[in-house]
Amino acid sequence: MPDIPWSTPTAPAPGAEVHVMASRFETATLIGAVRFFLKSPGIIRQMRRAPGAHGVALRARVLRRTFLTLSAWEDRDALYRFARSEPHRSSSRAAAAYMKESVFTQWTVPATELPLGWDEAERRLAAQQADR
C-alpha cells in the first residue's frame, strides 16, 4: 500500500525547536488494518489543518497490519489539542477495539531537521517497545 509522504502544513519559526511524535500501530486482524487504513486519509487531512502542525507522514503496511505515523508540532500542547479533537478522538477510540499493539514516543529536534525521516523514528519506537 502507498505511504502518505511527509507534508508540511505550516513552517516552524526560524530557530525553533519542534516536538516530534512517532507511533507504531499493529492491528489484530487484516480487517482491522483495512479499517485503520481507510480512516487514515481523513486523520492526515485533519493534521494538515491543525494549529501548530509542522509535519506529518504515514507508513502503511496493510498486509502486515502495521502502521507508523510521524509528526512534528509547535509544542506538546499542539499535539495534545489535535489528539483530543474530532475526528481523531473518536477514530482512535474506535480503533482500540481492533488494535493488537500501540507504541508511542516523543522527542524534540531543531526545526532545521525537518522534514523527518523514518530511520530515527523506527529506532526510537523499537527502543520504546523494548523498554516495556
Side-chain angles (χ1 to χ4, degrees), residues 6 8 10-21 52-56 70-79 106-116 124:
W6 184 267
T8 305
T10 58
E17 186 131 309
V18 297
H19 188 81
V20 175
M21 197 275 301
H54 294 314
V56 58
L70 184 56
S71 58
W73 300 87
E74 180 176 83
D75 54 29
R76 185 182 302 226
D77 290 339
L79 167 62
Q106 299 180 29
W107 70 99
T108 59
V109 298
T112 56
E113 292 187 19
L114 298 181
L116 297 169
R124 288 177 180 263

Side-chain angles (χ1 to χ4, degrees), residues 21-73:
M21 197 275 301
S23 61
R24 181 183 178 279
F25 301 100
E26 182 180 348
T27 63
T29 66
L30 186 56
I31 294 294
V34 170
R35 287 180 181 159
F36 190 97
F37 183 72
L38 292 175
K39 291 281 186 183
S40 297
I43 302 301
I44 296 292
R45 277 191 302 278
Q46 178 191 2
M47 290 176 86
R48 288 177 177 158
R49 294 188 304 260
H54 294 314
V56 58
L58 171 75
R59 178 167 276 178
R61 301 297 179 257
V62 177
L63 296 178
R64 291 188 219 158
R65 304 181 338 265
T66 303
F67 302 84
L68 300 172
T69 69
L70 184 56
S71 58
W73 300 87

Side-chain angles (χ1 to χ4, degrees), residues 81-113:
R81 279 190 304 274
F82 160 76
R84 290 188 306 263
S85 65
E86 293 298 338
H88 181 272
R89 181 178 171 184
S90 58
S91 291
S92 62
R93 286 184 177 164
Y98 51 82
M99 205 56 61
K100 179 179 178 182
E101 179 177 63
S102 302
V103 180
F104 302 90
T105 188
Q106 299 180 29
W107 70 99
T108 59
V109 298
T112 56
E113 292 187 19

